[in-house]
Amino acid sequence: MARVISVEAERFPIAGTFTISRGSKTEAEVITCTISEGDYTGRGECVPYKRYGETMDGVRAAIEAMRGQISAGIDRTALLGAMPAGAARNAIDCALWDLEAKIGGKAVADVVWPAPLHQLETAYTLSLGEPEAMAAQARANAARPLLKVKIGGDNDIARIRAVRQAAPDSRIILDANEGWNDDTVAANLAFAAEQGIALIEQPLPAGHDGILRHIAHPVPICADESVHEAGDLAALAGLYDAVNIKLDKSGGLTAALVLRDRARELGFGVMVGCMVGTSLAMAPAVLLAQDADFVDLDGPLLLARDRVPGLAYEGSLVSPPDPALWG
């Protein structure tokens, strides 16, 4: 029986404004891919990301271009060779996982994580702003055990100090989004260590981070924009201590599992992160993150409206997805 694919662009309002070093947005723009076979339907969601040259129209067109191969029954392994890593492949890959689970009557979790699933402690993200505004965000969320703080400007030491004073008991991840440079990185790292920061994400632009091989890492440094697939890892040895795996970068759960396992083999710490999307995008990542060192799957917590049904969050704890959502 031929498979039928549909592609839809959707928008979900963000609660307020989400700001990083590259700009601000007030809504999550996502592409949803639905693949049906007979009475069974699988779904996958992706978030096109401008930093990687992706647009809503471009990602939608890339998915549509696979219509013939999907109708003919392409599987997830063949998909890896048929499309490059990125958001479009992620949406198709996750839809195929969901469809396979429904047709076979076997949950995705039973395939990728045979042990009992458990709740995960996710980071909660604070948007970039002036130190006083970031301190107010931190103070309002100081009861959360793990905060992810967007930085990446000329005043980052003041921002770090303000957030730490406002949330003295929280573990903190700093995400510079490539916003530091060779002149600021060492001093910022040293100050972050003084403040007890747990992890720093992508302090320098991808491809312009060679100095990390020659300076101290008083705080572990995590690659984000510098790593997409398993093939990227060898070049990161000596530069980074951990990698942030996102399904939209790796191009789906299938490739992300390979990336996670290879990262472990090479001695990297593992963080599982997300773009700002809905629970449908987070659901497969919750399975991927069952043994992660850091989890950043707070996308739905940043939205004013999520999908129904969505993931269940209790404070900063996120539960595995219900099959009615995905998998």
Side-chain angles (χ1 to χ4, degrees):
M1 182 178 296
R3 291 177 171 175
V4 178
I5 180 175
S6 63
V7 189
E8 182 180 6
E10 299 182 85
R11 288 171 168 79
F12 293 81
I14 291 172
T17 302
F18 183 74
T19 302
I20 67 172
S21 62
R22 284 189 285 269
S24 301
K25 61 182 182 178
T26 57
E27 61 181 6
E29 298 180 294
V30 310
I31 299 288
T32 306
C33 174
T34 302
I35 302 175
S36 300
E37 182 176 324
D39 296 331
Y40 301 101
T41 297
R43 298 186 302 162
E45 177 186 307
C46 70
V47 181
Y49 199 40
K50 184 178 179 181
R51 166 64 179 82
Y52 306 130
E54 296 176 336
T55 65
M56 292 287 282
D57 289 343
V59 168
R60 181 168 190 160
I63 296 173
E64 293 279 7
M66 292 297 296
R67 185 177 295 275
Q69 293 187 62
I70 291 169
S71 177
I74 190 171
D75 63 19
R76 292 181 290 99
T77 301
L79 185 68
L80 294 175
M83 299 183 74
R89 193 175 76 188
N90 177 34
I92 296 173
D93 179 78
C94 289
L96 289 175
W97 275 105
D98 193 28
L99 179 63
E100 290 169 17
K102 290 180 169 63
I103 291 174
K106 185 175 183 179
V108 176
D110 293 335
V111 179
V112 304
W113 189 256
L117 296 176
H118 57 85
Q119 289 182 313
L120 302 174
E121 178 186 282
T122 180
Y124 181 82
T125 303
L126 308 184
S127 284
L128 176 67
E130 292 304 313
E132 297 79 8
M134 296 190 72
Q137 293 182 67
R139 198 170 297 114
N141 291 282
R144 294 184 182 273
L146 182 62
L147 298 177
K148 178 170 173 174
V149 180
K150 292 290 187 178
I151 53 172
D154 295 333
N155 204 20
D156 279 344
I157 284 179
R159 293 184 176 99
I160 297 166
R161 181 186 292 113
V163 168
R164 170 48 81 204
Q165 290 176 350
D169 298 325
S170 300
R171 291 191 303 148
I172 293 175
I173 300 167
L174 300 179
D175 187 359
N177 282 118
E178 304 177 285
W180 293 354
N181 57 53
D182 286 4
D183 296 329
T184 61
V185 63
N188 287 344
L189 283 169
F191 187 75
E194 291 177 13
Q195 298 299 306
I197 301 303
L199 189 73
I200 296 176
E201 274 190 75
Q202 198 71 42
L204 299 170
H208 299 278
D209 47 9
I211 193 175
L212 296 179
R213 196 181 303 278
H214 307 293
I215 63 174
H217 292 200
V219 176
I221 302 175
C222 180
D224 183 0
E225 286 85 353
S226 288
V227 60
H228 293 248
E229 296 184 280
D232 300 329
L233 290 171
L236 303 184
L239 294 174
Y240 293 95
D241 308 294
V243 294
N244 186 351
I245 302 173
K246 296 177 180 175
L247 299 184
D248 280 311
K249 290 191 302 174
S250 66
L253 180 60
T254 303
L257 290 164
V258 175
L259 173 55
R260 181 198 64 189
D261 293 346
R262 183 59 178 151
R264 291 293 194 201
E265 290 173 2
L266 293 175
F268 289 100
V270 170
M271 178 178 184
V272 174
C274 66
M275 308 301 186
V276 183
T278 78
S279 285
L280 180 57
M282 305 302 122
V286 169
L287 305 187
L288 176 70
Q290 286 293 302
D291 67 342
D293 302 298
F294 292 91
V295 177
D296 176 30
L297 298 177
D298 64 342
L301 295 178
L302 305 177
L303 300 179
R305 173 176 59 84
D306 191 16
R307 296 185 188 273
V308 179
L311 289 171
Y313 287 85
E314 301 173 29
S316 291
L317 293 176
V318 56
S319 296
D322 186 281
L325 170 64
W326 185 89

